[in-house]
Amino acid sequence: MLTAFRNFLAELTGGDADRGFSEDDHRLAAAALLYHVIAVDGEVAESERQRLHGLLKGRYGLDSDAADDLIRAAAKADEEAVDFYRFTSVLKTRLDEIDREQIIAMMWDLVYADGRLTEFEDNVIWRVADLLGVSGRARLRLKKIVQSGGQASAAASEG
């Protein structure tokens, strides 16, 4: 009901349903990178989509409708982006080191949601981590934690 009302108001004001997530919103920047990593292999598995939904809900305290809106906005932003800088620059200026590591941990979590890691996914995480200023050591530590069954939410806080 709330979503229908929000969409109605958006139509009246000429906005769209995703207007709650502006280009400089760190949640959109993070979600776009997360979406990219699950789409980079050419197929978004349902397990990956569900995991992304759960991660966004948990990380940002969103309800299901807001998480769906964020995923739609992220997919659109990812499609329009020419590189990762648009997103990583927002995250680097708005988030501290632990929060940036959390993004990398969530990326690892997502790539293992379908039970396999492709070289494309691995490369995307390496490039994003580099742009976010997350060290190679931290990136590999987070990978091992997630691989061994650790959750993304706990991975970045371990050191």
Side-chain angles (χ1 to χ4, degrees), residues 140-157:
L140 294 175
R141 174 180 50 82
L142 295 166
K143 178 182 181 180
K144 290 196 181 310
I145 291 168
V146 171
Q147 270 182 318
S148 67
Q151 292 195 353
S153 59
S157 62

Side-chain angles (χ1 to χ4, degrees), residues 71-88:
I71 291 169
R72 276 191 295 277
K76 182 178 177 185
D78 177 51
E79 183 180 304
E80 294 172 352
V82 294
D83 60 20
F84 299 133
Y85 184 77
R86 170 181 170 187
F87 309 121
T88 58

Side-chain angles (χ1 to χ4, degrees), residues 2-159:
L2 181 61
T3 301
F5 181 69
R6 187 174 50 208
N7 290 343
F8 172 73
L9 288 177
E11 287 175 24
L12 286 178
T13 61
D16 61 70
D18 298 329
R19 75 190 188 296
F21 303 105
S22 65
E23 279 191 35
D24 63 345
D25 188 327
H26 73 278
R27 299 170 302 172
L28 177 59
L33 292 171
L34 295 170
Y35 184 85
H36 185 85
V37 82
I38 64 172
V40 72
D41 61 2
E43 148 186 6
V44 177
E46 185 57 29
S47 59
E48 291 172 316
R49 185 178 299 279
Q50 288 176 358
R51 187 66 188 141
L52 175 59
H53 190 267
L55 285 171
L56 293 174
K57 277 180 65 174
R59 175 74 177 151
Y60 299 117
L62 303 173
D63 63 22
S64 286
D65 289 338
D68 288 339
D69 288 347
L70 181 54
I71 291 169
R72 276 191 295 277
K76 182 178 177 185
D78 177 51
E79 183 180 304
E80 294 172 352
V82 294
D83 60 20
F84 299 133
Y85 184 77
R86 170 181 170 187
F87 309 121
T88 58
S89 63
V90 170
L91 296 172
K92 195 160 184 187
T93 59
R94 300 245 171 124
L95 303 179
D96 63 20
E97 182 179 0
I98 296 295
D99 288 332
R100 293 191 314 267
E101 285 184 9
Q102 182 68 41
I103 302 300
I104 300 303
M106 289 190 296
M107 292 177 88
W108 285 125
D109 191 321
L110 285 168
V111 300
Y112 286 114
D114 66 355
R116 62 186 169 83
L117 171 67
T118 69
E119 65 184 71
F120 297 115
E121 293 165 332
D122 191 51
N123 184 267
V124 165
I125 296 173
W126 171 74
R127 290 176 20 212
V128 169
D130 190 51
L131 289 167
L132 289 177
V134 173
S135 71
R137 176 187 289 189
R139 178 176 46 85
L140 294 175
R141 174 180 50 82
L142 295 166
K143 178 182 181 180
K144 290 196 181 310
I145 291 168
V146 171
Q147 270 182 318
S148 67
Q151 292 195 353
S153 59
S157 62
E158 295 184 16

